Amino acid sequence: MRAMRNIVILISGRGSNMRAIVQAAQTERWPAKISAIISNRRDAEGLRYAEEQGIPHAVVANGDYPTRAAFDAALQRTIDGFAPDLVVMAGFMRILTAPFVEHYAGRILNIHPSLLPNFPGMATHRQALAAGVRMHGATVHFVTADLDHGPIVTQVEVPVLPTDTEQSLAQRVLIQEHIVYPRAIRWFIEGKLSIEDGHVHIAVETNVR
Ligand code: GAR
């Protein structure tokens, strides 16, 4: 049997994706352990859930460091203290330096609330409404030095309704995020998801991608 895998989850705020991942790992009995939840903000709501669940958690506050490089180095030391097989960015709102991203090459995932390459950056739902797209959604991708970019693992489409507001659209996308992100992480944990020369391989007998 494959050894237990260690997952470290990075958050900045609410942590609803983190919670969905923790719950999927528990209920689906993944061969994995959430080794730590790490936040760059002391006031991240998601830290309370980590506390309640008895999951080790840490804060590496970006405001405590003079430069992006110094922060990323401190974050990397903290993450590596938990020996992760996979680093999961779940609403982690930081631009990362190239050395940090390269250190975790092939073992760091992010979810972004748009159908990339459309609408990188912030306020994706507002951007989608302003652009008048009929289809919006979310993307799980391997992290590279490009902001909100990198080889795509999976995407989920969410139709934009004529009555949608930024909030209603965000809410429907979030429900889908909570499904696709745990599924992609599970693929990784089970050794079914990998990346080679920038190409993503998914070894699952399904068209659910
Ligand atoms: C999620 O919608 C996630 O996709 C987004 O932030 C939200 C965090 O919510 N991430 C990004 O915009 C990354 N660029 P959560 O803290 O409740 O998971």
Side-chain angles (χ1 to χ4, degrees), residues 71-84:
F71 169 72
D72 280 7
L75 180 63
Q76 185 176 315
R77 277 195 301 279
T78 304
I79 294 171
D80 286 352
F82 295 98

Side-chain angles (χ1 to χ4, degrees), residues 83-187:
D85 296 291
L86 178 66
V87 177
V88 170
M89 293 170 59
F92 188 66
M93 301 303 193
R94 289 285 304 172
I95 296 171
L96 298 162
T97 56
F100 177 94
V101 170
E102 277 153 23
H103 178 71
Y104 298 108
R107 54 187 179 115
I108 181 166
L109 293 173
N110 182 42
I111 190 159
H112 184 75
S114 77
L115 293 174
L116 289 174
N118 285 343
F119 317 132
M122 305 292 282
T124 56
H125 311 297
R126 198 184 315 156
Q127 291 187 61
L129 290 173
V133 293
R134 294 288 181 265
M135 277 298 170
H136 186 42
T139 303
V140 177
H141 63 94
F142 280 100
V143 177
T144 64
D146 290 342
L147 175 68
D148 295 329
H149 240 288
I152 291 172
V153 174
T154 189
Q155 293 187 302
V156 58
E157 289 185 324
V158 174
V160 179
L161 306 178
T163 51
D164 262 330
T165 62
E166 201 178 330
Q167 288 70 29
S168 65
L169 186 55
Q171 200 182 359
R172 287 206 317 289
V173 171
L174 192 64
I175 290 168
Q176 297 304 317
E177 291 185 44
H178 295 166
I179 298 168
V180 292
Y181 208 10
R183 185 165 61 209
I185 294 164
R186 184 179 175 167
W187 289 338

Side-chain angles (χ1 to χ4, degrees), residues 17-44:
N17 276 288
M18 174 266 289
R19 190 186 283 241
I21 295 158
V22 169
Q23 286 171 354
Q26 287 170 355
T27 59
E28 297 172 12
R29 298 174 157 275
W30 293 359
K33 177 171 108 205
I34 312 301
S35 312
I37 310 291
I38 301 174
S39 171
N40 66 314
R41 297 183 54 124
R42 289 191 177 83
D43 61 357

